[in-house]
Every structure is written in C-alpha cells, then in structure tokens.
Amino acid sequence: MKKILLLAVFTVLGFVNVNAQEIKFGAKGGLNFASVSGDTKGTDVVTAFNFGVMSEIPISEKFSFQPEVMYSGQGYSFNDNTVALSYLNVPLMAKYYLIKGLSVEAGPQIGFLLSAKNEKINVKDSFKTVDFGVNFGVGYKLDNGLNFGARYNLGLTDINNVENSSSKVKNGVFQVSVGYFFF
C-alpha cells in the first residue's frame, strides 16, 4: 500500500507543470473533536489538538494539490474514561477554488498510530497501527498567507485489534484549523 501511495504522489507531481515559486509551504494547527463509530455504545467526543506542515501545489487556476504531515490527537470517551489515540496523519488533499480564497477539498488520508492510552495505561496493542480514511472540508486563504479550515475525517479502517473481538470501530474526527503559508 505504501508503494501505491508513493506512486500516486509522484505521478501527480510529475504531471504538475508549475514554477517552483508558485508552490507554497506552511504550517497549521487547530482543534480536533474526535470519537469512534461502529460497534460502540455510549462513546462521547474528546477534544484534542492537531498541528503540522503543509504544501500547496497549484495545478491550474482553480485546482491545487495539498499534501500535509500532521500530528492528530484523537480518541473517545466512555463512562468517564478517556482513550487517547495519537496519530501521524498524511492527508493528500485535492482543492477546488469556488471563488478567490474559498475552496472545497477532499482526499485520502493514511494515519500511523503513535500511542494509545486509556487514562495512563498503554493500550496501543488494542489498536491497529495504520488507519485509512477520507477527508472532506472547506478552507479560506487570505492573500497574506493566513488560512482557515474545517474538515471531517471519516475513518475507513476498523482500528480494533483486540483478539477474539468481532467489534468494528472506526475513527471520526471533525477538525478546525488556522494556518500560515510562509513562502
């Protein structure tokens, strides 16, 4: 799967005929409102942080490709217990500008589990180490590089790794962020 992902990135980059000065690099951060869906009952949303780096590669006047590398705090709460999941996510977003500055975006995401804790107990073995998802969102970029976004990550992978369990559990994260393109 990693080979397919790398091939897709290099293919897109190979077809992009842009001046290096048009490619923008930046950082962003924000809040996550995360939970899980599937064979779960009584789970509540947890609030955590997201932050990372991004690049925007124009393909045409209306379309851009925006790869990102993001730390994402995720998880869920149940019966006053919080399960905190930390991921390194790599979203590959296609952006379409409806009007100057305002864009809609969508794309796949792969996430690598960094840690999993139930309160202070390490429960990383209870979760799969890779999570695939798809993102949908909107963004607004000002001329000075400041940008704002709202996105939903729909997990596609059953992240449950508990032996002898037939429960299916998938991540779901609503994100709001503020970023800045440096150059």
Side-chain angles (χ1 to χ4, degrees):
M1 188 53 130
K2 289 180 186 177
K3 290 179 184 178
I4 293 171
L5 183 62
L6 284 174
L7 180 63
V9 170
F10 287 120
T11 301
V12 168
L13 292 176
F15 287 114
V16 176
N17 184 17
V18 296
N19 184 336
Q21 293 175 351
E22 293 177 2
I23 298 174
K24 295 176 178 62
F25 296 93
K28 71 178 192 172
L31 287 176
N32 285 351
F33 302 95
S35 191
V36 292
S37 64
D39 299 332
T40 60
K41 292 183 178 143
T43 60
D44 292 318
V45 171
V46 296
T47 304
F49 295 99
N50 67 71
F51 58 87
V53 295
M54 61 188 170
S55 176
E56 184 172 13
I57 304 163
I59 296 172
S60 71
E61 187 177 313
K62 294 274 192 182
F63 286 100
S64 290
F65 173 62
Q66 183 168 303
E68 304 172 0
V69 177
M70 302 289 296
Y71 167 83
S72 181
Q74 298 175 200
Y76 57 96
S77 177
F78 67 99
N79 298 334
D80 294 327
N81 254 348
T82 298
V83 176
L85 305 173
S86 297
Y87 283 91
L88 180 66
N89 287 334
V90 181
L92 302 174
M93 304 302 293
K95 294 175 71 172
Y96 177 75
Y97 283 92
L98 300 169
I99 58 173
K100 183 179 179 184
L102 180 64
S103 63
V104 292
E105 57 188 36
Q109 172 177 288
I110 184 170
F112 302 97
L113 183 65
L114 301 174
S115 69
K117 296 188 178 185
N118 184 344
E119 298 304 319
K120 295 187 179 189
I121 300 168
N122 182 354
V123 292
K124 189 173 179 184
D125 291 340
S126 298
F127 297 92
K128 293 185 179 161
T129 57
V130 177
D131 180 31
F132 291 98
V134 62
N135 293 317
F136 305 96
V138 296
Y140 191 80
K141 181 173 65 173
L142 300 172
D143 289 337
N144 65 4
L146 190 63
N147 58 79
F148 307 91
R151 179 184 294 174
Y152 185 75
N153 171 254
L154 175 65
L156 301 176
T157 303
D158 174 13
I159 60 171
N160 186 5
N161 199 35
V162 176
E163 277 189 43
N164 301 323
S165 174
S166 61
S167 295
K168 293 189 184 323
V169 179
K170 297 178 182 181
N171 281 313
V173 184
F174 177 73
Q175 300 177 318
V176 292
S177 62
V178 175
Y180 185 77
F181 283 109
F182 300 108
F183 50 90

mmCIF file of all heavy atoms in Angstrom, residues 27-63:
data_model
loop_
_atom_site.group_PDB
_atom_site.id
_atom_site.type_symbol
_atom_site.label_atom_id
_atom_site.label_comp_id
_atom_site.label_asym_id
_atom_site.label_seq_id
_atom_site.Cartn_x
_atom_site.Cartn_y
_atom_site.Cartn_z
ATOM 1 N N ALA A 27 2.531 25.991 7.798
ATOM 2 C CA ALA A 27 2.218 25.215 8.999
ATOM 3 C C ALA A 27 0.803 25.552 9.429
ATOM 4 O O ALA A 27 0.272 26.615 9.089
ATOM 5 C CB ALA A 27 3.207 25.545 10.102
ATOM 6 N N LYS A 28 0.208 24.618 10.168
ATOM 7 C CA LYS A 28 -1.134 24.874 10.672
ATOM 8 C C LYS A 28 -1.361 24.099 11.962
ATOM 9 O O LYS A 28 -0.626 23.154 12.274
ATOM 10 C CB LYS A 28 -2.197 24.541 9.635
ATOM 11 C CG LYS A 28 -2.414 23.079 9.348
ATOM 12 C CD LYS A 28 -3.537 22.927 8.327
ATOM 13 C CE LYS A 28 -4.004 21.504 8.211
ATOM 14 N NZ LYS A 28 -5.193 21.394 7.387
ATOM 15 N N GLY A 29 -2.381 24.521 12.683
ATOM 16 C CA GLY A 29 -2.739 23.844 13.910
ATOM 17 C C GLY A 29 -4.181 24.147 14.252
ATOM 18 O O GLY A 29 -4.764 25.096 13.729
ATOM 19 N N GLY A 30 -4.739 23.344 15.132
ATOM 20 C CA GLY A 30 -6.129 23.578 15.497
ATOM 21 C C GLY A 30 -6.654 22.563 16.481
ATOM 22 O O GLY A 30 -5.889 21.884 17.173
ATOM 23 N N LEU A 31 -7.970 22.457 16.517
ATOM 24 C CA LEU A 31 -8.657 21.567 17.447
ATOM 25 C C LEU A 31 -9.307 20.399 16.716
ATOM 26 O O LEU A 31 -9.824 20.558 15.612
ATOM 27 C CB LEU A 31 -9.753 22.319 18.193
ATOM 28 C CG LEU A 31 -9.307 23.299 19.264
ATOM 29 C CD1 LEU A 31 -10.520 24.037 19.831
ATOM 30 C CD2 LEU A 31 -8.556 22.586 20.368
ATOM 31 N N ASN A 32 -9.287 19.249 17.363
ATOM 32 C CA ASN A 32 -9.998 18.058 16.907
ATOM 33 C C ASN A 32 -11.156 17.778 17.855
ATOM 34 O O ASN A 32 -11.014 17.920 19.074
ATOM 35 C CB ASN A 32 -9.088 16.822 16.930
ATOM 36 C CG ASN A 32 -8.090 16.792 15.814
ATOM 37 O OD1 ASN A 32 -8.146 17.591 14.895
ATOM 38 N ND2 ASN A 32 -7.155 15.860 15.894
ATOM 39 N N PHE A 33 -12.269 17.371 17.281
ATOM 40 C CA PHE A 33 -13.398 16.859 18.042
ATOM 41 C C PHE A 33 -13.586 15.431 17.543
ATOM 42 O O PHE A 33 -14.130 15.212 16.462
ATOM 43 C CB PHE A 33 -14.634 17.725 17.819
ATOM 44 C CG PHE A 33 -14.384 19.166 18.194
ATOM 45 C CD1 PHE A 33 -14.012 20.089 17.226
ATOM 46 C CD2 PHE A 33 -14.487 19.580 19.509
ATOM 47 C CE1 PHE A 33 -13.759 21.403 17.561
ATOM 48 C CE2 PHE A 33 -14.243 20.898 19.853
ATOM 49 C CZ PHE A 33 -13.872 21.813 18.887
ATOM 50 N N ALA A 34 -13.067 14.460 18.312
ATOM 51 C CA ALA A 34 -12.938 13.089 17.827
ATOM 52 C C ALA A 34 -13.812 12.121 18.607
ATOM 53 O O ALA A 34 -14.099 12.316 19.792
ATOM 54 C CB ALA A 34 -11.483 12.644 17.934
ATOM 55 N N SER A 35 -14.208 11.061 17.913
ATOM 56 C CA SER A 35 -14.923 9.954 18.523
ATOM 57 C C SER A 35 -14.739 8.732 17.627
ATOM 58 O O SER A 35 -13.949 8.765 16.691
ATOM 59 C CB SER A 35 -16.405 10.282 18.705
ATOM 60 O OG SER A 35 -17.017 9.295 19.521
ATOM 61 N N VAL A 36 -15.460 7.683 17.925
ATOM 62 C CA VAL A 36 -15.425 6.478 17.104
ATOM 63 C C VAL A 36 -16.855 6.082 16.762
ATOM 64 O O VAL A 36 -17.806 6.470 17.435
ATOM 65 C CB VAL A 36 -14.696 5.309 17.815
ATOM 66 C CG1 VAL A 36 -13.211 5.597 17.952
ATOM 67 C CG2 VAL A 36 -15.321 4.995 19.157
ATOM 68 N N SER A 37 -16.974 5.318 15.696
ATOM 69 C CA SER A 37 -18.274 4.804 15.292
ATOM 70 C C SER A 37 -18.148 3.314 15.044
ATOM 71 O O SER A 37 -17.054 2.769 15.024
ATOM 72 C CB SER A 37 -18.757 5.519 14.023
ATOM 73 O OG SER A 37 -17.885 5.241 12.951
ATOM 74 N N GLY A 38 -19.254 2.672 14.833
ATOM 75 C CA GLY A 38 -19.258 1.236 14.585
ATOM 76 C C GLY A 38 -19.981 0.522 15.707
ATOM 77 O O GLY A 38 -21.035 0.965 16.168
ATOM 78 N N ASP A 39 -19.386 -0.565 16.177
ATOM 79 C CA ASP A 39 -20.000 -1.385 17.216
ATOM 80 C C ASP A 39 -19.694 -0.821 18.611
ATOM 81 O O ASP A 39 -19.185 -1.515 19.489
ATOM 82 C CB ASP A 39 -19.494 -2.829 17.121
ATOM 83 C CG ASP A 39 -19.849 -3.471 15.796
ATOM 84 O OD1 ASP A 39 -20.874 -3.061 15.211
ATOM 85 O OD2 ASP A 39 -19.106 -4.353 15.344
ATOM 86 N N THR A 40 -19.987 0.444 18.787
ATOM 87 C CA THR A 40 -19.731 1.090 20.072
ATOM 88 C C THR A 40 -21.029 1.690 20.587
ATOM 89 O O THR A 40 -21.869 2.131 19.818
ATOM 90 C CB THR A 40 -18.685 2.210 19.934
ATOM 91 O OG1 THR A 40 -19.179 3.182 19.014
ATOM 92 C CG2 THR A 40 -17.362 1.668 19.442
ATOM 93 N N LYS A 41 -21.155 1.712 21.883
ATOM 94 C CA LYS A 41 -22.332 2.316 22.505
ATOM 95 C C LYS A 41 -21.858 3.192 23.650
ATOM 96 O O LYS A 41 -20.967 2.816 24.403
ATOM 97 C CB LYS A 41 -23.282 1.241 23.029
ATOM 98 C CG LYS A 41 -23.926 0.453 21.924
ATOM 99 C CD LYS A 41 -24.905 -0.557 22.454
ATOM 100 C CE LYS A 41 -25.542 -1.257 21.280
ATOM 101 N NZ LYS A 41 -25.781 -2.631 21.476
ATOM 102 N N GLY A 42 -22.440 4.356 23.748
ATOM 103 C CA GLY A 42 -22.135 5.217 24.869
ATOM 104 C C GLY A 42 -20.802 5.954 24.788
ATOM 105 O O GLY A 42 -20.281 6.371 25.809
ATOM 106 N N THR A 43 -20.242 6.091 23.590
ATOM 107 C CA THR A 43 -18.983 6.828 23.480
ATOM 108 C C THR A 43 -19.273 8.307 23.262
ATOM 109 O O THR A 43 -20.249 8.676 22.629
ATOM 110 C CB THR A 43 -18.097 6.309 22.329
ATOM 111 O OG1 THR A 43 -18.799 6.434 21.107
ATOM 112 C CG2 THR A 43 -17.693 4.863 22.566
ATOM 113 N N ASP A 44 -18.400 9.120 23.809
ATOM 114 C CA ASP A 44 -18.527 10.566 23.695
ATOM 115 C C ASP A 44 -17.317 11.141 22.968
ATOM 116 O O ASP A 44 -16.266 10.507 22.857
ATOM 117 C CB ASP A 44 -18.634 11.210 25.078
ATOM 118 C CG ASP A 44 -19.939 10.859 25.777
ATOM 119 O OD1 ASP A 44 -20.986 10.875 25.101
ATOM 120 O OD2 ASP A 44 -19.892 10.587 26.985
ATOM 121 N N VAL A 45 -17.475 12.386 22.556
ATOM 122 C CA VAL A 45 -16.431 13.103 21.831
ATOM 123 C C VAL A 45 -15.344 13.559 22.801
ATOM 124 O O VAL A 45 -15.619 13.926 23.938
ATOM 125 C CB VAL A 45 -17.049 14.330 21.115
ATOM 126 C CG1 VAL A 45 -15.992 15.232 20.524
ATOM 127 C CG2 VAL A 45 -18.029 13.868 20.053
ATOM 128 N N VAL A 46 -14.092 13.513 22.335
ATOM 129 C CA VAL A 46 -12.969 14.090 23.070
ATOM 130 C C VAL A 46 -12.392 15.230 22.236
ATOM 131 O O VAL A 46 -12.462 15.218 21.005
ATOM 132 C CB VAL A 46 -11.867 13.058 23.395
ATOM 133 C CG1 VAL A 46 -12.385 11.990 24.328
ATOM 134 C CG2 VAL A 46 -11.285 12.437 22.144
ATOM 135 N N THR A 47 -11.847 16.212 22.918
ATOM 136 C CA THR A 47 -11.224 17.344 22.251
ATOM 137 C C THR A 47 -9.713 17.208 22.384
ATOM 138 O O THR A 47 -9.209 16.904 23.469
ATOM 139 C CB THR A 47 -11.693 18.672 22.884
ATOM 140 O OG1 THR A 47 -13.121 18.718 22.833
ATOM 141 C CG2 THR A 47 -11.124 19.861 22.142
ATOM 142 N N ALA A 48 -9.002 17.424 21.274
ATOM 143 C CA ALA A 48 -7.546 17.315 21.268
ATOM 144 C C ALA A 48 -6.999 18.306 20.236
ATOM 145 O O ALA A 48 -7.754 19.070 19.635
ATOM 146 C CB ALA A 48 -7.120 15.892 20.936
ATOM 147 N N PHE A 49 -5.698 18.267 20.017
ATOM 148 C CA PHE A 49 -5.034 19.204 19.116
ATOM 149 C C PHE A 49 -4.584 18.516 17.840
ATOM 150 O O PHE A 49 -4.380 17.309 17.788
ATOM 151 C CB PHE A 49 -3.810 19.822 19.794
ATOM 152 C CG PHE A 49 -4.155 20.674 20.966
ATOM 153 C CD1 PHE A 49 -4.062 20.174 22.257
ATOM 154 C CD2 PHE A 49 -4.589 21.973 20.789
ATOM 155 C CE1 PHE A 49 -4.387 20.958 23.348
ATOM 156 C CE2 PHE A 49 -4.922 22.772 21.868
ATOM 157 C CZ PHE A 49 -4.820 22.259 23.154
ATOM 158 N N ASN A 50 -4.406 19.332 16.790
ATOM 159 C CA ASN A 50 -3.736 18.888 15.572
ATOM 160 C C ASN A 50 -2.756 19.981 15.174
ATOM 161 O O ASN A 50 -2.999 21.158 15.406
ATOM 162 C CB ASN A 50 -4.735 18.575 14.446
ATOM 163 C CG ASN A 50 -5.471 19.789 13.938
ATOM 164 O OD1 ASN A 50 -4.905 20.649 13.262
ATOM 165 N ND2 ASN A 50 -6.762 19.884 14.247
ATOM 166 N N PHE A 51 -1.617 19.587 14.633
ATOM 167 C CA PHE A 51 -0.646 20.557 14.122
ATOM 168 C C PHE A 51 0.300 19.851 13.162
ATOM 169 O O PHE A 51 0.478 18.637 13.234
ATOM 170 C CB PHE A 51 0.137 21.245 15.255
ATOM 171 C CG PHE A 51 0.891 20.292 16.150
ATOM 172 C CD1 PHE A 51 2.180 19.873 15.827
ATOM 173 C CD2 PHE A 51 0.310 19.813 17.313
ATOM 174 C CE1 PHE A 51 2.869 18.995 16.652
ATOM 175 C CE2 PHE A 51 0.994 18.944 18.147
ATOM 176 C CZ PHE A 51 2.278 18.530 17.814
ATOM 177 N N GLY A 52 0.853 20.636 12.235
ATOM 178 C CA GLY A 52 1.771 20.045 11.286
ATOM 179 C C GLY A 52 2.160 21.007 10.185
ATOM 180 O O GLY A 52 1.987 22.223 10.303
ATOM 181 N N VAL A 53 2.689 20.428 9.102
ATOM 182 C CA VAL A 53 3.165 21.207 7.961
ATOM 183 C C VAL A 53 2.382 20.826 6.720
ATOM 184 O O VAL A 53 1.815 19.730 6.638
ATOM 185 C CB VAL A 53 4.681 21.001 7.730
ATOM 186 C CG1 VAL A 53 5.490 21.551 8.898
ATOM 187 C CG2 VAL A 53 5.011 19.538 7.502
ATOM 188 N N MET A 54 2.363 21.765 5.756
ATOM 189 C CA MET A 54 1.600 21.539 4.526
ATOM 190 C C MET A 54 2.286 22.238 3.371
ATOM 191 O O MET A 54 3.136 23.107 3.562
ATOM 192 C CB MET A 54 0.175 22.058 4.693
ATOM 193 C CG MET A 54 0.116 23.542 4.982
ATOM 194 S SD MET A 54 -1.555 24.067 5.385
ATOM 195 C CE MET A 54 -1.223 25.723 5.954
ATOM 196 N N SER A 55 1.892 21.843 2.191
ATOM 197 C CA SER A 55 2.352 22.483 0.973
ATOM 198 C C SER A 55 1.158 22.585 0.037
ATOM 199 O O SER A 55 0.295 21.704 0.032
ATOM 200 C CB SER A 55 3.453 21.644 0.323
ATOM 201 O OG SER A 55 3.849 22.205 -0.898
ATOM 202 N N GLU A 56 1.105 23.665 -0.741
ATOM 203 C CA GLU A 56 0.050 23.789 -1.741
ATOM 204 C C GLU A 56 0.699 23.912 -3.102
ATOM 205 O O GLU A 56 1.524 24.796 -3.340
ATOM 206 C CB GLU A 56 -0.861 24.985 -1.479
ATOM 207 C CG GLU A 56 -2.012 25.022 -2.477
ATOM 208 C CD GLU A 56 -3.059 26.079 -2.168
ATOM 209 O OE1 GLU A 56 -2.802 26.963 -1.335
ATOM 210 O OE2 GLU A 56 -4.136 26.012 -2.783
ATOM 211 N N ILE A 57 0.330 22.994 -3.989
ATOM 212 C CA ILE A 57 0.908 22.922 -5.329
ATOM 213 C C ILE A 57 -0.195 23.221 -6.335
ATOM 214 O O ILE A 57 -1.105 22.401 -6.523
ATOM 215 C CB ILE A 57 1.507 21.520 -5.593
ATOM 216 C CG1 ILE A 57 2.534 21.187 -4.508
ATOM 217 C CG2 ILE A 57 2.107 21.448 -6.986
ATOM 218 C CD1 ILE A 57 2.888 19.726 -4.430
ATOM 219 N N PRO A 58 -0.160 24.404 -6.964
ATOM 220 C CA PRO A 58 -1.200 24.732 -7.943
ATOM 221 C C PRO A 58 -1.104 23.841 -9.182
ATOM 222 O O PRO A 58 -0.018 23.599 -9.706
ATOM 223 C CB PRO A 58 -0.911 26.178 -8.320
ATOM 224 C CG PRO A 58 0.160 26.654 -7.412
ATOM 225 C CD PRO A 58 0.796 25.470 -6.785
ATOM 226 N N ILE A 59 -2.244 23.350 -9.630
ATOM 227 C CA ILE A 59 -2.310 22.562 -10.853
ATOM 228 C C ILE A 59 -2.907 23.413 -11.971
ATOM 229 O O ILE A 59 -2.480 23.332 -13.117
ATOM 230 C CB ILE A 59 -3.129 21.280 -10.623
ATOM 231 C CG1 ILE A 59 -2.399 20.408 -9.591
ATOM 232 C CG2 ILE A 59 -3.361 20.527 -11.925
ATOM 233 C CD1 ILE A 59 -3.168 19.206 -9.135
ATOM 234 N N SER A 60 -3.886 24.226 -11.626
ATOM 235 C CA SER A 60 -4.483 25.185 -12.553
ATOM 236 C C SER A 60 -4.951 26.373 -11.717
ATOM 237 O O SER A 60 -4.703 26.425 -10.510
ATOM 238 C CB SER A 60 -5.654 24.557 -13.317
ATOM 239 O OG SER A 60 -6.764 24.366 -12.469
ATOM 240 N N GLU A 61 -5.663 27.285 -12.333
ATOM 241 C CA GLU A 61 -6.150 28.449 -11.598
ATOM 242 C C GLU A 61 -7.137 28.046 -10.493
ATOM 243 O O GLU A 61 -7.181 28.656 -9.430
ATOM 244 C CB GLU A 61 -6.832 29.425 -12.562
ATOM 245 C CG GLU A 61 -7.226 30.731 -11.926
ATOM 246 C CD GLU A 61 -7.841 31.693 -12.926
ATOM 247 O OE1 GLU A 61 -7.269 31.861 -14.020
ATOM 248 O OE2 GLU A 61 -8.906 32.255 -12.605
ATOM 249 N N LYS A 62 -7.912 26.992 -10.731
ATOM 250 C CA LYS A 62 -8.951 26.574 -9.788
ATOM 251 C C LYS A 62 -8.572 25.364 -8.924
ATOM 252 O O LYS A 62 -9.156 25.154 -7.873
ATOM 253 C CB LYS A 62 -10.246 26.236 -10.541
ATOM 254 C CG LYS A 62 -10.892 27.426 -11.207
ATOM 255 C CD LYS A 62 -11.776 28.119 -10.224
ATOM 256 C CE LYS A 62 -12.665 29.141 -10.899
ATOM 257 N NZ LYS A 62 -13.478 29.850 -9.940
ATOM 258 N N PHE A 63 -7.621 24.543 -9.392
ATOM 259 C CA PHE A 63 -7.272 23.307 -8.690
ATOM 260 C C PHE A 63 -5.881 23.388 -8.080
ATOM 261 O O PHE A 63 -4.959 23.931 -8.685
ATOM 262 C CB PHE A 63 -7.299 22.113 -9.649
ATOM 263 C CG PHE A 63 -8.675 21.668 -10.018
ATOM 264 C CD1 PHE A 63 -9.239 22.048 -11.230
ATOM 265 C CD2 PHE A 63 -9.410 20.848 -9.173
ATOM 266 C CE1 PHE A 63 -10.506 21.640 -11.586
ATOM 267 C CE2 PHE A 63 -10.681 20.423 -9.529
ATOM 268 C CZ PHE A 63 -11.226 20.827 -10.735
#
